[in-house]
Amino acid sequence: MIFYEYEARKIVELAGIPVTKYGFCQTADEARKAAEEIGGPTVIKSQVLTGGRMKAGGVQFADTPDEAAKHAEDILKLEINGHMPVGVLVDPKAEIKQEYYASVVWDGTAKKPLMLFSDMGGIDIEQVAEEHPDHVGRGHISNILPVGDYEAKQVIAATGVTGSQLNRATPILAKLARLFRENDMILAEINPLAELTDGSFVALDAHMEMEEEAVGRQKNILRKELGIAEEDTRDTYVPSDFEKNVKAIDAADHRGVIQGKDHGFDGNLGLVIGAGGGSLTLTDAVRNQGGKPANYSEIGGNPSVAKACGLAKEVLKKDGVEKIAVMMSIVSNTRVDIVARGVIKACLELGKDPAETIAIFRIPGAWEDEGNKILDHYGVEYCDRSVSLWDAAGRAVAKIQGAS
Amino acid sequence: MSPAEAMDAVFIDIELDEPAKSDPELAKKLEEVCTVGIFKASAAGTEIVQGQLDECVLCYLCVDACPTGAMRIIKKYEN
């Protein structure tokens, strides 16, 4: 689950990390009052779950409360990357001496949280890591043992930070690591972590993401502290037409399950695949054999003919798709003949020859003999379990490469 | 292929002879036993829903419900 900046700031504050006096506002009047309370110049920031706020005009500076109100009014109407803001954050314009970067991310390879610190804050850490690797400190922390301040200190010291800066930044990174673990985060980032002209450190911006699976057990912080409603899932994924259509076909019929994704796929070989991890294996097999998948899909749970037909039709209707490969691992509760009927029907209803359109049909399992009779009748090439998933994928790729 | 043709069954056909087809009691029984909605009962007897024929799972419960020999399930792909 992703959080708005004002919520991330609250999470940081709850962990005992100093933040500036900020205000979350949903109207221009509220922004004016917040700016009056802050006193002095302010920054007005759009609260959207997307990046590129500054470039889009979603971050503005104001010298007076009236100016803050005017900026808030404009920003509240400003759509950024298809997202309308839920409000604005009114923040004091801080007197910054230096900007740092502090974060804790989940390292999926090491299966441990990783602390990161840089004395070059305010810009993307990826850019710093690439251009100035000696300015990025790293260190894993345990998933179980308490996080010691010394661990944070080592990470910060690795960037060359010493003296009072090291002493002031250390508890902040250690607290960030603790909040990461306690709140089941996958990302807890403060950027910039600012050293003000008076020598104090404050979090000027924060970005937090919680593990989706943990949302159920983090009700205290989500509901009580942040006031996030249960139905607010923060799903920012925008499905393609293909994905929406497949979902609608699946929802219209309780029999079996189909899923389809095509973000990032633009190949010519459509995939109608599934069964026991078969989808991932087969997609990789097609790619590793030089094929270009047009989509990812999952089909199983004994779908109806209409559902199998619906999925195959959506795949075939995608731009650039020349053929489809219908492949699964070994099925026990999905009937081979029903899937065969579905995919052949899809071809026929789109005016395509199944023998030409279906590059390979490899679904061994329940009602396989009946399925083979159907495939024989329409001249579709098929194979049984003696042909591996890898080889079946290879046959499909060879066929489509030979055709184009 | 026209949308109407697209609705036609491609794989399965069912033949139901008279007088079984006009029997309202049998029609109710067929509607009840078919899990994929191929039969619709009416006062006139049994209506076979063409758009559902390809969903037939070959369970033969309908054949069992009919008088012997009155119903035949035809697999078009075997012809």
Side-chain angles (χ1 to χ4, degrees):
Chain A
M1 174 180 244
I2 194 165
F3 295 96
Y4 290 100
E5 184 192 348
Y6 76 95
E7 294 166 338
R9 198 80 78 88
K10 175 84 175 171
I11 295 168
V12 165
E13 197 179 355
L14 288 168
I17 296 170
V19 295
T20 51
K21 189 180 179 185
Y22 62 93
F24 172 66
C25 312
Q26 292 181 298
T27 65
D29 276 346
E30 285 176 12
R32 183 185 289 104
K33 280 178 198 152
E36 280 168 358
E37 279 176 28
I38 288 167
T42 51
V43 190
I44 321 300
K45 296 164 150 182
S46 175
Q47 294 301 287
V48 281
L49 295 176
T50 182
R53 289 183 303 178
M54 182 70 98
K55 205 179 275 182
V59 178
Q60 300 286 342
F61 297 91
D63 289 325
T64 64
D66 282 344
E67 206 181 336
K70 176 72 182 76
H71 286 320
E73 194 177 351
D74 294 341
I75 291 172
L76 286 167
K77 291 182 220 159
L78 182 69
E79 185 182 299
I80 302 174
N81 298 331
H83 296 255
M84 288 304 290
V86 293
V88 293
L89 192 73
V90 180
D91 218 10
K93 193 177 167 191
E95 295 294 326
I96 301 166
K97 190 172 160 191
Q98 183 166 354
E99 292 184 334
Y100 296 87
Y101 172 94
S103 78
V104 184
V105 294
W106 177 250
D107 181 345
T109 307
K111 295 186 171 57
K112 286 176 178 178
L114 175 71
M115 287 187 290
L116 289 165
F117 189 86
S118 175
D119 58 341
M120 297 178 73
I123 50 175
D124 285 344
I125 191 67
E126 291 84 358
Q127 190 186 337
V128 180
E130 198 174 314
E131 295 171 7
H132 307 280
D134 53 325
H135 284 267
V136 181
R138 297 176 176 84
H140 286 106
I141 53 168
S142 163
N143 286 305
I144 305 165
L145 300 171
V147 183
D149 278 14
Y150 75 95
E151 295 175 88
K153 198 168 196 171
Q154 283 174 342
V155 170
I156 299 166
T159 65
V161 173
T162 57
S164 81
Q165 284 88 354
L166 177 62
N167 287 336
R168 286 178 188 248
T170 293
I172 292 177
L173 183 58
K175 283 174 183 171
L176 193 63
R178 289 179 199 121
L179 90 78
F180 177 95
R181 273 208 344 216
E182 283 162 14
N183 297 309
D184 294 311
M185 295 295 181
I186 52 173
L187 171 68
E189 180 185 76
I190 299 173
N191 189 23
L193 171 65
E195 181 189 4
L196 303 181
T197 47
D198 63 1
S200 63
F201 277 64
V202 289
L204 285 190
D205 197 352
H207 186 80
M208 300 279 154
E209 278 185 55
M210 183 181 279
E211 166 62 49
E212 290 295 338
E213 301 299 327
V215 167
R217 71 174 196 162
Q218 290 293 351
K219 284 179 184 155
N220 186 50
I221 189 159
L222 293 173
R223 315 275 177 260
K224 289 184 187 164
E225 301 290 356
L226 301 174
I228 298 172
E230 202 159 342
E231 58 275 15
D232 186 353
T233 59
R234 302 287 166 88
D235 189 1
T236 55
Y237 184 79
V238 182
S240 66
D241 287 343
F242 168 80
E243 291 165 1
K244 280 190 268 189
N245 293 345
V246 170
K247 197 171 182 180
I249 293 164
D250 187 50
D253 188 340
H254 69 279
R255 293 168 292 178
V257 179
I258 56 168
Q259 286 184 44
K261 299 274 178 200
D262 70 339
H263 271 270
F265 292 93
D266 57 359
N268 54 358
L269 181 61
L271 300 180
V272 179
I273 52 178
S279 292
L280 293 170
T281 309
L282 285 159
T283 307
D284 283 348
V286 167
R287 277 188 160 149
N288 291 339
Q289 302 228 35
K292 292 176 185 161
N295 66 290
Y296 173 83
S297 75
E298 288 176 10
I299 180 167
N302 208 20
S304 62
V305 173
K307 200 172 254 191
C309 175
L311 173 63
K313 264 178 153 175
E314 290 302 321
V315 174
L316 281 166
K317 283 194 281 186
K318 268 183 64 72
D319 284 346
V321 170
E322 295 168 27
K323 292 180 188 294
I324 55 170
V326 185
M327 305 182 286
M328 291 192 189
S329 185
I330 294 175
V331 295
S332 54
N333 67 338
T334 292
R335 278 178 49 169
V336 178
D337 62 327
I338 299 289
V339 179
R341 284 190 217 170
V343 294
I344 288 171
K345 195 162 188 170
C347 294
L348 297 173
E349 289 185 4
L350 292 172
K352 294 174 184 287
D353 178 358
E356 288 294 317
T357 310
I358 301 172
I360 190 76
F361 187 103
R362 185 213 179 271
I363 309 182
W367 291 69
E368 187 175 344
D369 291 343
E370 197 71 25
N372 292 347
K373 286 183 202 168
I374 298 168
L375 298 163
D376 274 330
H377 183 74
Y378 287 94
V380 175
E381 182 184 338
Y382 61 90
C383 51
D384 60 17
R385 69 193 70 192
S386 67
V387 176
S388 67
L389 297 177
W390 171 262
D391 287 338
R395 282 195 200 181
V397 172
K399 204 178 249 188
I400 203 160
Q401 286 176 343
S404 55
Chain B
M1 187 175 281
S2 70
E5 283 170 324
M7 290 298 289
D8 284 350
V10 176
F11 306 98
I12 303 290
D13 203 358
I14 291 178
E15 291 175 352
L16 179 58
D17 294 339
E18 294 288 358
K21 194 171 184 180
S22 310
D23 180 349
E25 288 305 312
L26 178 62
K28 279 186 210 163
K29 208 191 279 185
L30 289 173
E31 189 177 279
E32 189 185 320
V33 298
C34 183
T35 58
V36 293
I38 289 173
F39 305 103
K40 204 172 166 187
S42 70
T46 301
E47 182 195 333
I48 295 175
V49 183
Q50 293 296 313
Q52 285 300 106
L53 277 170
D54 281 335
E55 295 289 353
C56 174
V57 292
L58 305 174
C59 65
Y60 290 92
L61 289 174
C62 52
V63 173
D64 293 343
C66 288
T68 306
M71 178 182 280
R72 288 166 299 285
I73 295 179
I74 297 152
K75 298 176 190 173
K76 291 178 165 185
Y77 48 89
E78 284 187 336
N79 294 336

